Amino acid sequence: MKNFFFILIIFLAFSCSNDSGSNAATNTDNNLGYQIAGKITNATGNMPIYLDRLSYFGGQPIDTAIISNDGSFKMAGNVPDKGLYALRVSQDKSWIIIVENNKITFETDFNDPSKTIVSGADNILLNNFLSKISMLRGQLQQLQNEFMMAQMNGDQNKMADAQNKYNLAVTEFNTTAINM
């Protein structure tokens, strides 16, 4: 699992770097910085939320806000370049987003991360990728359970079928990660 996130962070760090044709110059000219307007339904009010810049060495907090009673929060500042960040409310509750010096909207349900919506083409791509990976991880777990049940029952045919499906799902998982 840690290897997956390491690969994800490295991959996204390279894919998110500014290119010479990007709109970074426009953002710098406007001195817009990032502006995050967020809403987290089912969140407890007066809870701090942190914006962490992600790297191989972990997260580095760069901004903090307080979630209001209605679940809304706002953050604003500047980042040196587009990158991978996390909005974090605790050590075990965070959402990965791509931040650049632009306006960003963030909406989620505290209890259901699959309902997360973040503006921006890069974030839509990231959300689709993370959803697909989550689905494939679920399939892999299910196939692993099927294999173990077949093994406990001594059913060689079901074991072989589960192993073949597992191998196909691993290939799809790897292809999805590479083609992100």
Side-chain angles (χ1 to χ4, degrees), residues 140-158:
L140 290 171
Q141 183 63 48
Q142 180 183 355
L143 289 168
Q144 191 174 32
N145 290 343
E146 286 177 23
F147 180 85
M148 290 172 51
M149 288 299 292
Q151 189 176 34
M152 286 176 25
N153 295 329
D155 190 334
Q156 297 296 320
N157 290 335
K158 284 187 180 179

Side-chain angles (χ1 to χ4, degrees), residues 43-55:
T44 305
N46 296 318
M47 175 187 298
I49 184 164
Y50 306 92
L51 179 65
D52 296 339
R53 181 171 179 92
L54 299 179
S55 72

Side-chain angles (χ1 to χ4, degrees), residues 11-18 81-84 98 122:
F11 177 77
L12 289 174
F14 285 110
S15 68
C16 292
S17 63
N18 287 331
D81 54 7
K82 180 174 25 175
L84 197 59
I98 296 172
D122 290 334

Side-chain angles (χ1 to χ4, degrees), residues 50-54 58-64 85-86 88:
Y50 306 92
L51 179 65
D52 296 339
R53 181 171 179 92
L54 299 179
Q60 174 190 6
I62 64 162
D63 204 349
T64 305
Y85 290 77
R88 174 179 54 86

Side-chain angles (χ1 to χ4, degrees), residues 8 12 84-85 94-98 104-108 113-135 176 180:
L8 175 65
L12 289 174
L84 197 59
Y85 290 77
S94 63
W95 300 268
I96 298 173
I97 64 171
I98 296 172
I104 300 166
T105 57
F106 173 85
E107 296 180 25
T108 193
S114 71
K115 295 182 179 177
T116 302
I117 301 170
V118 186
S119 65
D122 290 334
N123 278 302
I124 292 168
L125 180 64
L126 177 62
N127 286 339
N128 290 341
F129 171 76
L130 293 174
S131 294
K132 176 78 172 182
I133 291 296
S134 179
M135 180 197 68
T176 299
M180 159 78 185

